[in-house]
Amino acid sequence: MTTTTPHDVPSPFAGLGKKFDAALGRGIGHITRRALGPHQTAIVRIGFAATWLVFLLREWPHRAELYGPDSPWSWEMAQRLLADNGAFTVLMWSDSTLWFELVYHVAILASVGLLLGWRTRLTSVLFMLGVLSLQNRSIFMGDGGDNVIHLMAMYLVLTRCAQVWSLDARRRARPGRTDRADIVIWSLTGAALLAALISGNLTSPVWSLFLAGLWLVYAGWWVLERYAPAGEPRTVADILGNLIHNATLLVIMFQVCLIYATAGWYKIQGSRWQDGTAVYYPMQLDYFTPWPALTDALSNSGLVVMALSYGTVFVQVAFLFALLNRRAKNVLLVLMIGEHIGIAVLMGLPFFSLAMIAMDAVFLPTAFLLWLGSRTVRVRDRLLRRRPPAPADAPPAPAPAAVPIPPQSERTAPAWADRP
Amino acid sequence: MVPTDHDDHSGPADRADAVVPTESVRLSSLSLPARLVVALSIGGLAVFAAWHALAAFLFVAPSNTIMKDHGPAIRGYIYPEFEQNWKLFAPNPLQRNVAVEVRAEITDPADGSTEITEWLDLTAIDIANIRHHPLPSHTAQNELRRAWDFYVSSHDEDGAPRGLRGELSEQYVTRIALLRLGEDLGYDLDTVNRIQLRSATTRVPAPSWSEENIDTTTGYDELEWRTVDAADLPGGRNNR
């Protein structure tokens, strides 16, 4: 046995201060210069906008029963509860059917706008106002899926979620075009905000400050873009935008972890999750069995039920720690998304599942998203019968050649997304 | 690459001219005030994000030491917009089917006599609308189900309402029942004097492979009769 005297061993702490400083410097560089995860935030934006849009269209025939002034949860009842809990909804500004119809349809349009990334700074705010207004109006109509959409609608406002895969990105890529729509949009929204404040409808101090603050920030940005695009204030404003985006992205990722950790850790305490029969019970509940023959077949096997029960707990509890390793994270993401597709079909919870999948998407690897993007472009071009330009003398290709990667995807993929 | 070339254009600046992309800006080349703004923002955002995460965590965590002391501050921040509940089928999934049933006292317009209908299963209407539907509506899946949960959670053991929510939940289940009676079951609501609701609770039988013995007889829980208020009829806003 050899003995080493203490002074032979290099201290593991040597140079730690310097390393820390360097890492801090690099970290600050990362979060100030770029809005991280452009593809991840874009897919989250598209996912939630699409979920809410399909939901609103699906419920269109039922919209009055869910959120209209004549709903079983009547306008007066909503008002009494809201006076108590203080949640935000523009639907309490008037009990007229016309106002309700206007709000519902603006919410649909805002979802379309956000989905396409059209004027995202505007449509993300309208989307949030639509989600909050409808959901808070009839709080007992929603479920876990609505809860996720509610939170994400607020978070998305603070992210630069249209850096790629959006009409905004396409417009930005065309240089030298002056944009006159902005001034119209911000004048109209400014007037609407002022009207809401003056008429005494917008009374919540927090929301008044937040919405007015947002408007002022966007107005300030517009002034900088127009009159001093090369000045330092514009750079600093851009850095602040990146910082807010990155902080919100972190909060979104934390939120996903919180959801799975909570769902998993509470399950561990349940006797049915411990004895491996838990999944059997929802499969016997009338409200969650749209395909009884299918669920009966599954729940008849004790082995399948136990595998699904234990698997669910395992995946939910492990999710948080799997983020420490890129491969483990990707495997768990696949399992998680698979489970949600199962829930969508077997339990008849498609909107809940879509929302959860949209939320999971924040952790998808950039390489996969880029591939998904190029496949989507290819399918779109095939559908629209656009062929990539071929040399004039070359014979027409039997199948469309590889579609050039759209310019936005040439950005360096953010390292954080793929690293533990 | 310092973005210092302020241009004195009074009009819109030419977009094509040297816009320094933020990606290539060196923080150390910014002016002191600019660096101060950036530094303060990083600090402020870090603190706020940490607070938000901590508050959300404590809100969903089980009752604990910190919440005993600081519960009001944390709940004050979380409610109403950041409220969340992720006990999805946990600690244990629901293990019983709850059906809401209604019966009505109806006046015969011809002779003014009254009769009481059979118990009518409102939940069965929901189930019929969910079965074999890939996209069940919230009106079928959540409306009555959650209204009944709301009713039960806002009433005490003896069926007495707890405050505003108890009172609202009674009106809510009544209005849903009236809507279903009229729209789905085809009753003329003008002839309905009063209605009574009850829940029919049946435990899910033990799985076939289990040796557990579960009593699956249906238990009923009746509410008081409630006289129909014209304002609670569908479209009854104008009857006030």
Side-chain angles (χ1 to χ4, degrees):
Chain A
M1 207 175 194
T2 55
T3 49
T4 31
T5 42
H7 58 83
D8 286 334
V9 182
S11 160
F13 306 111
L16 209 59
K18 256 189 209 148
K19 272 187 209 159
F20 178 77
D21 287 353
L24 189 68
R26 269 199 313 277
I28 289 175
H30 271 309
I31 60 171
T32 48
R33 284 196 280 260
R34 285 194 315 200
L36 299 170
H39 297 90
Q40 285 78 6
T41 42
I43 196 80
V44 170
R45 178 199 92 224
I46 292 168
F48 279 96
T51 305
W52 186 240
L53 174 64
V54 176
F55 171 78
L56 291 180
L57 294 178
R58 192 269 169 266
E59 298 291 10
W60 195 82
H62 305 293
R63 64 191 186 286
E65 185 176 339
L66 288 170
Y67 308 114
D70 277 324
S71 159
W73 184 250
S74 75
W75 190 86
E76 286 83 7
M77 293 159 73
Q79 202 171 41
R80 290 177 67 192
L81 190 72
L82 286 162
D84 193 44
N85 73 11
F88 177 84
T89 170
V90 301
L91 284 174
M92 287 297 112
W93 294 2
S94 159
D95 66 350
S96 87
T97 307
L98 191 69
W99 175 243
F100 158 68
E101 294 287 354
L102 186 74
V103 171
Y104 194 89
H105 290 92
V106 167
I108 291 180
L109 291 178
S111 310
V112 175
L114 189 66
L115 178 67
L116 299 174
W118 181 81
R119 311 276 164 187
T120 316
R121 294 281 59 90
L122 169 73
T123 49
S124 62
V125 177
L126 290 179
F127 179 79
M128 173 191 73
L129 294 177
V131 169
L132 265 53
S133 295
L134 293 169
Q135 289 187 356
N136 289 341
R137 157 72 181 77
S138 300
I139 197 73
F140 299 108
M141 298 288 184
D143 52 36
D146 293 81
N147 199 340
V148 178
I149 296 173
H150 188 109
L151 294 170
M152 287 295 171
M154 290 185 285
Y155 296 153
L156 277 175
V157 169
L158 299 178
T159 61
R160 297 186 142 169
C161 53
Q163 295 178 86
V164 298
W165 298 334
S166 69
L167 294 178
D168 285 352
R170 197 172 71 165
R171 194 175 52 247
R172 272 195 300 271
R174 288 190 199 134
R177 276 205 356 182
T178 38
D179 188 8
R180 305 212 179 278
D182 266 0
I183 191 145
V184 178
I185 287 171
W186 299 117
S187 310
L188 285 177
T189 50
L193 185 59
L194 208 61
L197 284 167
I198 290 174
S199 65
N201 281 316
L202 185 55
T203 46
S204 149
V206 174
W207 282 104
S208 306
L209 273 175
F210 180 70
L211 292 173
L214 266 186
W215 191 87
L216 288 174
V217 165
Y218 293 150
W221 177 260
W222 181 83
V223 168
L224 284 178
E225 279 272 90
R226 197 167 167 86
Y227 294 104
E232 192 184 62
R234 157 71 166 69
T235 305
V236 171
D238 201 24
I239 288 175
L240 296 187
N242 289 340
L243 283 173
I244 292 171
H245 166 99
N246 293 328
T248 311
L249 180 57
L250 193 68
V251 167
I252 290 176
M253 293 158 89
F254 174 82
Q255 181 73 58
V256 181
C257 296
L258 188 68
I259 289 176
Y260 288 133
T262 314
W265 290 353
Y266 275 107
K267 281 190 181 79
I268 288 183
Q269 304 168 18
S271 55
R272 293 300 182 197
W273 294 99
Q274 290 169 3
D275 70 18
T277 58
V279 168
Y280 162 83
Y281 292 95
M283 288 185 182
Q284 301 296 318
L285 295 181
D286 294 334
Y287 270 107
F288 300 105
T289 44
W291 315 98
L294 201 61
T295 34
D296 280 348
L298 269 176
S299 64
N300 263 335
S301 159
L303 213 60
V304 170
V305 167
M306 169 145 169
L308 288 176
S309 304
Y310 273 28
T312 302
V313 175
F314 176 80
V315 168
Q316 290 187 339
V317 171
F319 186 77
L320 178 62
F321 305 102
L323 296 179
L324 295 171
N325 179 285
R326 180 189 156 188
R327 271 188 211 151
K329 176 209 71 176
N330 289 341
V331 169
L332 277 202
L333 271 182
V334 170
L335 292 176
M336 210 69 117
I337 290 173
E339 172 153 29
H340 284 134
I341 292 172
I343 289 174
V345 178
L346 293 177
M347 300 187 61
L349 292 168
F351 299 109
F352 166 78
S353 299
L354 265 176
M356 297 302 263
I357 292 171
M359 188 184 77
D360 292 339
V362 77
F363 288 111
L364 285 173
T366 304
F368 169 77
L369 290 171
L370 287 175
W371 171 82
L372 191 70
S374 74
R375 291 294 302 213
T376 311
V377 169
R378 199 180 301 182
V379 169
R380 182 195 68 190
D381 288 353
R382 198 172 291 169
L383 287 178
L384 300 177
R385 295 175 191 213
R386 271 192 223 160
R387 274 160 189 280
D393 52 347
V403 172
I405 298 168
Q408 63 265 28
S409 36
E410 277 166 23
R411 284 179 73 122
T412 18
W416 67 269
D418 285 333
R419 272 198 207 142
Chain B
M1 300 262 303
V2 194
T4 46
D5 38 322
H6 293 275
D7 43 9
D8 297 321
H9 298 210
S10 47
D14 183 2
R15 287 297 179 97
D17 79 353
V19 176
V20 181
T22 310
E23 279 204 38
S24 57
V25 165
R26 287 218 337 263
L27 285 178
S28 53
S29 65
L30 293 178
S31 67
L32 183 64
R35 271 185 285 165
L36 263 178
V37 169
V38 170
L40 286 175
S41 306
I42 293 176
L45 282 166
V47 169
F48 187 63
W51 158 250
H52 180 88
L54 182 73
F57 170 77
L58 289 172
F59 183 79
V60 300
S63 162
N64 58 68
T65 319
I66 299 180
M67 281 302 272
K68 271 186 202 119
D69 295 341
H70 303 287
I74 285 157
R75 276 187 283 268
Y77 172 74
I78 293 290
Y79 281 118
E81 307 297 355
F82 294 120
E83 189 187 351
Q84 43 194 293
N85 173 15
W86 310 116
K87 292 180 198 170
L88 309 168
F89 298 104
N92 273 323
L94 188 66
Q95 292 164 49
R96 53 183 193 278
N97 278 299
V98 182
V100 180
E101 299 176 351
V102 66
R103 61 178 175 177
E105 185 191 86
I106 289 176
T107 308
D108 188 335
D111 56 9
S113 65
T114 59
E115 61 164 339
I116 292 173
T117 66
E118 294 292 292
W119 284 104
L120 306 159
D121 190 345
L122 297 177
T123 298
I125 305 169
D126 284 351
I127 306 308
N129 286 327
I130 291 170
R131 284 284 144 88
H132 306 124
H133 202 300
L135 304 172
S137 166
H138 274 21
T139 52
Q141 211 166 32
N142 293 348
E143 191 174 310
L144 179 60
R145 181 179 63 86
R146 288 209 56 202
W148 192 258
D149 284 348
F150 176 39
Y151 180 91
V152 172
S153 68
S154 58
H155 284 72
D156 62 22
E157 306 280 300
D158 308 320
R162 280 188 248 250
L164 172 69
R165 293 168 79 89
E167 193 189 320
L168 286 173
S169 70
E170 285 174 14
Q171 196 185 348
Y172 189 30
V173 290
T174 304
R175 288 172 62 97
I176 295 175
L178 288 170
L179 182 68
R180 300 277 194 266
L181 268 179
E183 264 186 18
D184 298 283
L185 300 172
Y187 282 85
D188 176 6
L189 294 177
D190 290 334
T191 63
V192 176
N193 301 324
R194 42 187 207 137
I195 61 167
Q196 188 184 24
L197 289 164
R198 72 171 182 183
S199 64
T201 307
T202 315
R203 288 196 63 185
V204 170
S208 54
W209 66 85
S210 159
E211 284 151 22
E212 246 179 295
N213 203 358
I214 292 176
D215 180 9
T216 54
T217 49
T218 303
Y220 296 94
D221 206 354
E222 284 183 15
L223 270 51
E224 297 287 307
W225 280 92
R226 195 174 155 112
T227 307
V228 173
D229 180 348
D232 285 335
L233 297 176
R237 275 203 294 160
N238 309 320
N239 299 341
R240 278 195 183 273

